[in-house]
Amino acid sequence: MQIQKVILCILCLFQSSLLLAQPICSPVDSVDVFIGTSNSRWMLGPYATCPFGMVQLGPDNQGSSQEYNWMGGYEYAINSVDGFSHLHAWTMAGLRIMPTTADLVYKNRPTDSPYKGAEAGYHSRILKESEMGSPGYYSVYLYDHEVKAEMAVTERSTIQRYVFPEKKESRILIDLLFPGEYAWSISDARITRVSDTELEGYAMSHAAGFNDYKLCFVIQFSKAFDTFNGWNKDGLQRAISSIEGKGDVGAFVSWSTEKDEEIVVRTGISLVSTEQARLNLETEMALFGWSLEAVKEAGRTKWNELLSRIKVEGGTSEDRLKFYTNLYRVFAAKQSWNDVNGLYRDAAENIQELKYCENICGGDAFWNSFWNINGVLSLIAPDIMENWVGTQLEMFEHTGWTCKGPAGIEYSGIMEGSHEIALMVSAFQKNIIKDRETAEKIYTAIKFMMMNEGEKVHGGWAGNPQLREYMKFGYVPYEFGQTNKTLDYAFDDYCVAQMAKALGKKEDHKYFIKRSENYKNVFNKNLKFVVPKDSEGNWLESYDEFSNYSFVEGNGWQYSFYVPHDVDGVVELMGEELFNDRMDEGFKKSEEYKFAAHALDRTTGERAEFYINQGNEINMQAAFLFNYSGKPWLTQKWSRAILDTYYGATPYFGWEGDEDEGQMGAWFVMSSMGLFEMRGGTEQRPELELTSPLFDKITIKLDQKYYSGKEFVIVAHNNSKENKYIQGIKLNGKRLKSPRIYFDQIAAGGRLEFEMGPEPAERHGVVED
């Protein structure tokens, strides 16, 4: 935990004790933006950002080239900073700024390179104890340049303050091409001097083989610079009015500075034009002027309001730290890509104006987000759920397809299935989308997605590959594609069927609900596992359930439990006893490895057995499957074990694997409240599984526009680390007979009470009347 957060909480506790009141620390103060930032992905760092902000401004310190730098970006263990870049979206990077005072260097090298002095590059060592971060803010002291750097942000703009030493030449570098996580290049770029206090420019970028975007920017300075200089393939050019080129292009401005002189920088960005970037900056900074403190406080207030929609009480201080940090991550990794006036660029690079939503969103895949992120958004940010639906309708109307991973509003083709369908259906079933006209548009889009073979479009890949074979054979033969596609497409079929039923489309419902049973076509009734099958109907010979042959990021053992829409059907096919034995064995063998799939050491030469993998999407429902197989107390046992062991609270241990843009965080949030959506809220009356809450009391503030505007309170009586088993459950004073609750019962407001104990209650985990 950061020292400043510890001090702040101690002060809160001390002050409260003097007032004889309950100790209070704001939820925003229980976020540690450094948790899990060692060995993390490009998207996860201590970056200053707003909820779903376009800007994610912060430090980079990894990577040696513009080629593939897996897990590049920020690494907590490296005591150096290369610069502060504005974009940390999946597959997207751009606009690095770096203050420098040492010998002039406009090229950079890795921090571990053998070069010294000017040849080492413009990066700087940092004083680690000076590094601070909180939601919307970052600060650090750059040791080699003797500069204190601070930054705060709005959604599309930033303010940065650099405190310089006394120097004849102090500089701020603008670097347009630098290492990201994925390979990227610049085909055209330009930086222009508008005045002696303002620059503007753009960089036409190409990343990850599908993502083309034009990052436009305006940069303003609080002090008139003395010189404007730049570089491109022809080398350094001094005293210029503009610099342009492709590949490595950049610029720097310079001043003579006094000791502790502050120079403030404001930036605005846009994917539309430099004029739009300036509009974003002027609009969002109008209330703040050049005050970094004002921007920082506004960001803090915005984050605190969002995080305060869920109040947790009880548990340990570490539990609360993990809860609010994981909740923060749900909103900190994805972006909104429209400008303040609603303009954006679609996947065909045409400028559009928003029609279906207030903000058009982007990010990594929706792959199985119905098990985590969608649930959190539905509960406390239904407006963002509505924006996601609008994003898909915007893309479908203008470029012909919805999108499973709209990074930068492009067609990434990542990952499996079309699970944006689940999000749209859930938003309708939960009454977030209320009008029939929008519902019909959603249905038109999702039916199209499940009736048409995927194809290359606008430089990316849209739709579902091998859908043609899926419809022909009733499964995807392994010589055409991965076996798991059958399972993903069957779930998508189920989602379409549910919306068809809700809209009274009886024939469509009948057709798609039948297709949703296609998972049975790859379930081998002799082996009791999902097994690859060829187009002649022959099962794969020498099948190994722990092999990942014909499975994406998983194996046959894990995928055999992956039928979220019909768990009862899987229990029947496998047999309840075998189902429970396999699952419980998997959890027991995975526990010492923190449920991160490492059951045996590969170095021993033995067959590697991978069971529970909480760190990847296809296995995140595992703990809740026991609610369907007659042993819900095992759901309570193992969900609590995952919360306690898979998730950490230090920079070196936040998650045992890829956090995946809020997916791991959202699972923690939902499960620690005792909630989980097996079918992602897509059924006719959306239902949530119940498990043992981590906290003694949880209060959810419900939105007044979408829901009742009341509170839903969850109370766990006699709760502790030992008392993790549910003895009984009451909803609004009435005892429940199964460990489930309907979403509309939460949305109406009310009180859910758990009675906890140290031993399992073996009548479905509750006490019946």
Side-chain angles (χ1 to χ4, degrees):
M1 193 193 313
Q2 300 174 63
I3 293 175
Q4 69 268 29
K5 287 190 171 60
V6 175
I7 294 173
L8 180 58
C9 284
I10 290 173
L11 289 174
C12 287
L13 290 170
F14 178 70
Q15 183 181 29
S16 298
S17 66
L18 292 178
L19 297 174
L20 299 177
Q22 178 70 26
I24 297 174
C25 276
S26 297
V28 72
D29 296 320
S30 293
V31 174
D32 186 344
V33 298
F34 292 98
I35 285 179
T37 56
S38 179
N39 198 33
S40 63
R41 295 282 305 279
W42 170 257
M43 302 84 72
L44 198 157
Y47 313 129
T49 190
C50 288
F52 274 69
M54 186 183 295
V55 169
Q56 293 166 309
L57 176 65
D60 302 321
N61 57 17
Q62 294 185 93
S64 58
S65 70
Q66 278 64 59
E67 300 305 316
Y68 188 73
N69 296 288
W70 181 246
M71 303 184 83
Y74 176 85
E75 164 57 56
Y76 181 85
I78 297 176
N79 291 335
S80 179
V81 165
D82 293 342
F84 308 102
S85 62
H86 285 62
L87 295 187
H88 288 92
W90 179 62
T91 73
M92 300 177 73
L95 188 58
R96 172 184 284 178
I97 287 181
M98 182 65 171
T100 69
T101 61
D103 293 342
L104 174 62
V105 181
Y106 57 90
K107 302 286 186 181
N108 200 34
R109 297 183 188 272
T111 55
D112 60 353
S113 70
Y115 297 94
K116 304 296 181 184
E119 291 186 356
Y122 58 67
H123 64 257
S124 173
R125 291 171 291 175
I126 65 172
L127 297 182
K128 200 65 178 178
E129 62 271 21
S130 75
E131 188 176 35
M132 295 186 292
S134 60
Y137 173 79
Y138 177 82
S139 177
V140 72
Y141 184 76
L142 304 173
Y143 178 81
D144 292 312
H145 296 299
E146 303 175 75
V147 173
K148 179 182 179 181
E150 290 183 273
M151 53 209 67
V153 300
T154 58
E155 281 79 2
R156 304 164 183 85
S157 304
T158 84
I159 188 164
Q160 304 160 50
R161 180 166 61 203
Y162 300 109
V163 183
F164 286 93
E166 181 179 358
K167 290 286 181 177
K168 291 183 179 179
E169 184 177 79
S170 294
R171 303 170 220 95
I172 290 181
L173 273 66
I174 300 100
D175 199 346
L176 299 184
L177 186 65
F178 49 87
E181 185 174 60
Y182 288 82
W184 68 299
S185 61
I186 292 177
S187 61
D188 178 37
R190 184 182 182 92
I191 306 174
T192 300
R193 178 185 181 275
V194 177
S195 69
D196 59 3
T197 58
E198 184 172 311
L199 306 176
E200 67 178 22
Y202 65 86
M204 189 63 227
S205 303
H206 313 272
F210 73 88
N211 200 342
D212 298 336
Y213 59 97
K214 184 179 183 180
L215 178 60
C216 306
F217 55 87
V218 170
I219 306 173
Q220 299 175 344
F221 304 93
S222 61
K223 178 182 178 180
F225 48 77
D226 296 332
T227 64
F228 171 59
N229 318 277
W231 70 87
N232 56 21
K233 64 180 179 62
D234 297 322
L236 178 64
Q237 301 178 39
R238 288 188 174 273
I240 56 176
S241 59
S242 68
I243 189 77
E244 60 187 47
K246 64 179 181 178
D248 186 19
V249 178
F252 65 92
V253 293
S254 65
W255 303 263
S256 173
T257 55
E258 303 294 330
K259 184 178 184 298
D260 295 332
E261 182 172 353
E262 297 180 359
I263 295 179
V264 181
V265 181
R266 303 195 309 182
T267 65
I269 65 171
S270 167
L271 298 189
V272 176
S273 67
T274 53
E275 291 78 14
Q276 287 288 115
R278 185 173 288 104
L279 177 65
N280 290 340
L281 191 160
E282 292 175 350
T283 301
E284 295 186 347
M285 288 292 170
L287 294 176
F288 310 119
W290 292 83
S291 172
L292 184 142
E293 283 74 18
V295 176
K296 176 184 177 183
E297 183 58 31
R300 171 187 164 82
T301 299
K302 182 172 294 185
W303 274 111
N304 197 56
E305 187 280 325
L306 175 60
L307 299 171
S308 296
R309 294 177 191 176
I310 305 177
K311 179 182 178 181
V312 297
E313 301 174 64
T316 67
S317 58
E318 183 175 294
D319 290 335
R320 293 190 293 276
L321 179 70
K322 289 195 289 186
F323 181 88
Y324 284 112
T325 300
N326 278 284
L327 182 57
Y328 164 78
R329 285 296 170 198
V330 175
F331 297 91
K334 299 183 187 292
Q335 304 77 34
S336 299
W337 291 114
N338 57 286
D339 295 328
V340 292
N341 59 356
L343 297 186
Y344 72 96
R345 283 191 185 272
D346 66 20
E349 306 308 322
N350 296 316
I351 298 175
Q352 306 288 355
E353 185 171 0
L354 288 175
K355 177 180 178 181
Y356 295 108
C357 50
E358 293 184 359
N359 289 300
I360 192 166
C361 304
D364 199 348
F366 289 100
W367 192 36
N368 294 22
S369 64
F370 56 83
W371 278 338
N372 39 64
I373 289 179
N374 297 3
V376 174
L377 296 183
S378 296
L379 285 174
I380 67 168
D383 58 318
I384 295 179
M385 282 287 282
E386 189 170 24
N387 282 334
W388 271 126
V389 172
T391 295
Q392 297 298 335
L393 293 180
E394 292 278 341
M395 297 189 75
F396 186 71
E397 180 167 303
H398 295 302
T399 46
W401 300 79
T402 63
C403 184
K404 62 183 71 181
I409 319 302
E410 302 284 343
Y411 288 100
S412 67
I414 299 296
M415 283 281 293
E416 296 297 289
S418 287
H419 292 166
E420 72 277 12
I421 292 175
L423 184 146
M424 290 188 280
V425 173
S426 175
F428 175 70
Q429 303 285 39
K430 293 174 178 176
N431 207 32
I432 295 170
I433 302 298
K434 302 178 186 296
D435 65 285
R436 177 78 184 209
E437 182 180 357
T438 302
E440 290 288 352
K441 290 179 182 294
I442 291 171
Y443 186 74
T444 297
I446 64 178
K447 180 179 178 180
F448 176 88
M449 295 302 294
M450 293 311 296
M451 292 298 294
N452 292 275
E453 175 78 10
E455 64 181 24
K456 293 285 286 185
V457 57
H458 304 301
W461 185 273
N464 294 315
Q466 290 87 54
L467 186 64
R468 186 182 298 111
E469 286 76 20
Y470 172 79
M471 291 191 289
K472 177 181 178 180
F473 295 100
Y475 61 96
V476 178
Y478 66 80
E479 68 263 39
F480 291 102
Q482 293 95 337
T483 298
N484 63 269
K485 292 187 187 300
T486 299
L487 307 175
D488 283 298
Y489 296 167
F491 175 68
D492 290 338
D493 283 337
Y494 170 84
C495 295
V496 178
Q498 295 306 303
M499 191 150 190
K501 183 177 182 179
L503 295 176
K505 301 177 187 296
K506 295 181 181 180
E507 291 302 313
D508 280 6
H509 171 258
K510 182 179 179 181
Y511 172 74
F512 282 106
I513 203 67
K514 179 63 176 176
R515 268 184 29 175
S516 75
E517 297 179 3
N518 282 345
Y519 76 90
K520 296 176 182 177
N521 296 333
V522 290
F523 192 92
N524 186 304
K525 293 182 180 179
N526 293 321
L527 297 176
K528 307 290 187 182
F529 281 114
V530 168
V531 178
K533 182 192 286 188
D534 68 19
S535 57
E536 298 296 323
N538 301 310
W539 299 106
L540 177 71
E541 296 182 2
S542 303
Y543 172 72
D544 178 358
E545 68 267 31
F546 297 110
S547 168
N548 63 2
Y549 177 78
S550 195
F551 297 104
V552 172
E553 297 190 14
N555 58 36
W557 191 95
Q558 294 162 350
Y559 270 106
S560 293
F561 297 94
Y562 177 59
V563 187
H565 60 289
D566 192 14
V567 180
D568 290 333
V570 176
V571 173
E572 183 178 350
L573 286 169
M574 196 176 291
E576 186 176 285
E577 183 177 356
L578 179 60
F579 183 98
N580 284 324
D581 287 347
R582 281 180 176 174
M583 285 300 303
D584 200 32
E585 177 190 26
F587 272 100
K588 288 175 179 176
K589 289 187 173 180
S590 302
E591 187 169 18
E592 68 174 298
Y593 301 97
K594 299 181 179 179
F595 308 105
H598 309 298
L600 288 179
D601 188 347
R602 288 181 179 274
T603 62
T604 64
E606 298 181 55
R607 183 179 65 149
E609 298 178 8
F610 296 101
Y611 296 93
I612 305 303
N613 186 6
Q614 176 67 20
N616 216 339
E617 277 69 9
I618 59 103
N619 220 191
M620 296 179 74
Q621 91 293 17
F624 293 88
L625 294 174
F626 296 107
N627 272 4
Y628 292 81
S629 59
K631 293 189 176 183
W633 55 91
L634 291 179
T635 285
Q636 298 150 31
K637 173 184 177 179
W638 294 120
S639 63
R640 182 72 73 90
I642 292 171
L643 290 172
D644 289 341
T645 60
Y646 177 84
Y647 292 86
T650 73
Y652 299 102
F653 173 36
W655 307 270
E656 284 288 340
D658 187 351
E659 201 280 328
D660 262 355
E661 291 193 334
Q663 289 217 50
M664 302 301 135
W667 193 97
F668 184 97
V669 170
M670 291 295 287
S671 298
S672 66
M673 295 192 294
L675 305 173
F676 183 81
E677 291 186 314
M678 184 62 72
R679 292 169 292 282
T682 60
E683 58 268 61
Q684 295 301 297
R685 191 181 181 192
E687 192 174 46
L688 293 91
E689 307 297 324
L690 300 179
T691 188
S692 55
L694 185 61
F695 300 98
D696 299 341
K697 185 178 181 182
I698 302 114
T699 304
I700 302 171
K701 298 179 181 178
L702 298 163
D703 189 273
Q704 192 165 10
K705 174 183 175 182
Y706 297 91
Y707 306 133
S708 65
K710 300 178 181 179
E711 292 182 345
F712 187 79
V713 179
I714 302 169
V715 178
H717 300 291
N718 198 32
N719 193 28
S720 68
K721 295 295 182 183
E722 296 75 25
N723 293 354
K724 58 192 173 189
Y725 294 105
I726 298 171
Q727 308 300 302
I729 312 173
K730 289 182 180 179
L731 176 63
N732 298 327
K734 184 178 180 180
R735 199 169 295 276
L736 298 183
K737 296 185 179 182
S738 67
R740 294 188 178 88
I741 186 175
Y742 292 111
F743 182 86
D744 58 23
Q745 293 173 318
I746 296 176
R751 186 178 182 89
L752 182 67
E753 295 182 79
F754 294 84
E755 189 65 39
M756 309 300 296
E759 300 295 334
E762 297 195 4
R763 288 185 61 81
H764 303 290
V766 301
V767 177
E768 300 186 20
D769 289 332

